[in-house]
């Protein structure tokens, strides 16, 4: 069995999902004593290859063409590489870019495509787990095709670690320049654009428990004290108290900070789907039965208006 995982980068940086793809791919390959191949297309491919050489990677394929993501380049390059390698499973990220080219690649290769997988297993065929109805229901999809294309949800697998000894092989894709109908001319952040919460190391996140918009100043003081970034659950954004780019959750951003402090957040499945990959989760809620405590590493059952000032005083 051979697994081919396609890494993702943006503006000179590998996205976190790239190393999560390595973990998912290695787990599948181990199920049949197979090989894990990783591909990186465009940009500083040699630098990316060095950073992708984690434990468990057998071969890294580099495709040097352009700098940033381009649908037509990725579609052609990944299709040609998959044609040559003939992987049993082709893994791509469930991201804006991944959802752009994955269906086109699967269509060109004539492969079944399973999207947004949160778990994968292989035993005489591929079994992918997906979540439905706002992550309230899990369902499994079996594929007995010789080869299957899959996109995986970010933050569902831990990032691969350790140093590897993979073979790096440049792949000379034949890119039809006449088929490239778009180019990247720049980037513009949406929803305020003041910060990217998905890149934060420490997040202080607020939910309905804040009660009134003016109480956000207290949470901002805590975030400033901790040198953290402020984020929120959907109700805060729906109320217009914080911009959309601060929203964590299924309809917001998936975040994987070192520390996630959830204040006055009940822990609805839609929100949990966006932050459960955090290394350490601290929950502050006056309801001892709040679902957020089911995934929290540390929990404080008390009134946030008592706890937060005490934390600010302690850390100052």
């Amino acid at each position: 069995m051979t697994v081919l995982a396609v890494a993702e980068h943006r503006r000179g940086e590998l996205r976190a999902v790239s190393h999560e793809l390595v973990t998912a791919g290695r787990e599948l390959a181990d199920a049949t004593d197979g090989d894990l191949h990783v591909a990186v297309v465009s940009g500083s491919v040699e630098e990316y290859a060095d950073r992708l050489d984690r434990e468990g990677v057998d071969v890294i394929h580099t495709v040097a063409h352009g700098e940033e993501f381009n649908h037509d380049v990725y579609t052609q390059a990944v299709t040609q590489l998959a044609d040559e390698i003939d992987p049993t499973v082709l893994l791509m990220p469930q991201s804006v870019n991944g959802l752009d080219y994955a269906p086109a690649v699967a269509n060109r290769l004539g492969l079944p495509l399973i999207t947004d997988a949160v778990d994968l297993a292989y035993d005489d065929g591929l079994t992918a787990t997906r979540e439905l109805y706002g992550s309230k229901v899990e369902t499994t999809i079996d594929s007995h095709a010789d080869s299957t294309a899959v996109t995986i949800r970010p933050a569902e697998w831990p990032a691969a670690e350790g140093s590897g000894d993979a073979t790096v092989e440049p792949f000379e894709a034949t890119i039809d320049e006449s088929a490239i109908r778009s180019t990247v001319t720049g980037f513009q952040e949406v929803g305020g654009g003041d910060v990217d919460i998905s890149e934060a190391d420490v997040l202080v996140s607020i939910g309905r428990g804040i009660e009134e918009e003016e109480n956000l100043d207290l949470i901002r003081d805590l975030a400033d004290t901790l040198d953290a970034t402020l984020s929120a659950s959907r109700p805060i954004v729906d109320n217009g108290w914080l911009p959309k780019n601060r929203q964590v959750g299924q309809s917001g951003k998936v975040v994987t900070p070192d520390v996630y402090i959830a204040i006055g957040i009940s822990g609805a499945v839609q929100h949990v789907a966006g932050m459960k990959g955090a290394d350490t989760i601290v929950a502050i809620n006056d309801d001892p039965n709040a679902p957020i405590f089911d995934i929290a590493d540390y929990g404080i059952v008390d009134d946030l208006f008592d706890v937060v000032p005490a934390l600010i005083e302690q850390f100052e």
Side-chain angles (χ1 to χ4, degrees):
M1 175 183 184
T2 299
V3 178
L4 172 60
V6 184
E8 177 167 304
H9 59 87
R10 185 196 303 167
R11 283 186 270 186
E13 292 294 331
L14 276 177
R15 306 295 287 176
V17 71
S18 296
H19 291 123
E20 294 161 16
L21 282 158
V22 170
T23 299
R26 188 65 256 170
E27 289 176 356
L28 283 175
D30 283 345
T32 57
D33 294 323
D35 295 326
L36 172 60
H37 293 235
V38 176
V40 59
V41 181
S42 301
S44 304
V45 292
E46 293 181 359
E47 176 188 342
Y48 296 145
D50 184 60
R51 294 170 58 189
L52 287 165
D53 190 6
R54 298 292 174 94
E55 187 176 354
V57 178
D58 296 296
V59 183
I60 300 173
H61 304 274
T62 58
V63 182
H65 194 289
E67 291 300 318
E68 291 293 344
F69 171 79
N70 180 282
H71 166 85
D72 299 306
V73 172
Y74 267 64
T75 299
Q76 293 183 59
V78 176
T79 298
Q80 292 174 32
L81 183 57
D83 259 336
E84 178 164 310
I85 296 174
D86 190 26
T88 307
V89 181
L90 171 60
L91 292 179
M92 295 162 284
Q94 177 82 6
S95 62
V96 172
N97 290 355
L99 289 175
D100 183 297
Y101 72 90
V105 170
N107 182 61
R108 289 193 180 197
L109 294 171
L111 304 181
L113 172 63
I114 302 173
T115 60
D116 201 23
V118 297
D119 192 25
L120 298 169
Y122 197 92
D123 184 10
D124 294 328
L126 178 69
T127 298
T129 301
R130 301 179 75 246
E131 294 180 338
L132 303 176
Y133 305 112
S135 299
K136 293 183 176 66
V137 176
E138 281 191 350
T139 184
T140 57
I141 299 174
D142 294 328
S143 174
H144 296 285
D146 292 336
S147 185
T148 305
V150 181
T151 63
I152 69 166
R153 183 184 296 180
E156 292 296 329
W157 281 263
E161 299 179 345
S163 299
D165 57 355
T167 301
V168 178
E169 298 181 357
F171 180 72
E172 298 295 332
T174 304
I175 305 299
D176 180 1
E177 298 291 339
S178 66
I180 301 176
R181 298 183 175 89
S182 63
T183 57
V184 176
T185 59
F187 292 90
Q188 182 176 348
E189 295 288 353
V190 298
D194 57 330
V195 69
D196 183 356
I197 60 173
S198 66
E199 299 295 330
D201 294 326
V202 181
L203 281 174
V204 173
S205 202
I206 189 62
R208 294 179 190 272
I210 197 65
E211 297 178 357
E212 302 291 341
E213 183 176 6
E214 53 264 29
N215 292 331
L216 277 173
D217 289 339
L218 176 64
I219 310 304
R220 288 192 176 96
D221 289 343
L222 176 61
D224 291 342
T225 302
L226 297 175
D227 194 22
T229 300
L230 183 65
S231 59
S233 61
R234 180 171 178 172
I236 302 303
V237 174
D238 286 347
N239 286 342
W241 298 351
L242 286 175
K244 176 70 174 178
N245 69 315
R246 298 279 183 158
Q247 181 180 329
V248 175
Q250 198 169 51
S251 56
K253 287 193 174 183
V254 174
V255 297
T256 55
D258 295 332
V259 179
Y260 187 88
I261 304 176
I263 304 175
I265 293 174
S266 63
V269 290
Q270 293 90 342
H271 183 77
V272 169
M275 46 69 72
K276 62 183 179 182
D279 287 344
T280 301
I281 299 171
V282 180
I284 302 170
N285 200 298
D286 60 7
D287 178 6
N289 298 313
I292 192 69
F293 290 121
D294 292 339
I295 63 166
D297 298 288
Y298 301 95
I300 301 174
V301 181
D302 206 338
D303 190 329
L304 71 87
F305 296 106
D306 293 329
V307 175
V308 173
L311 289 176
I312 293 172
E313 181 180 356
Q314 178 67 33
F315 284 105
E316 281 182 337

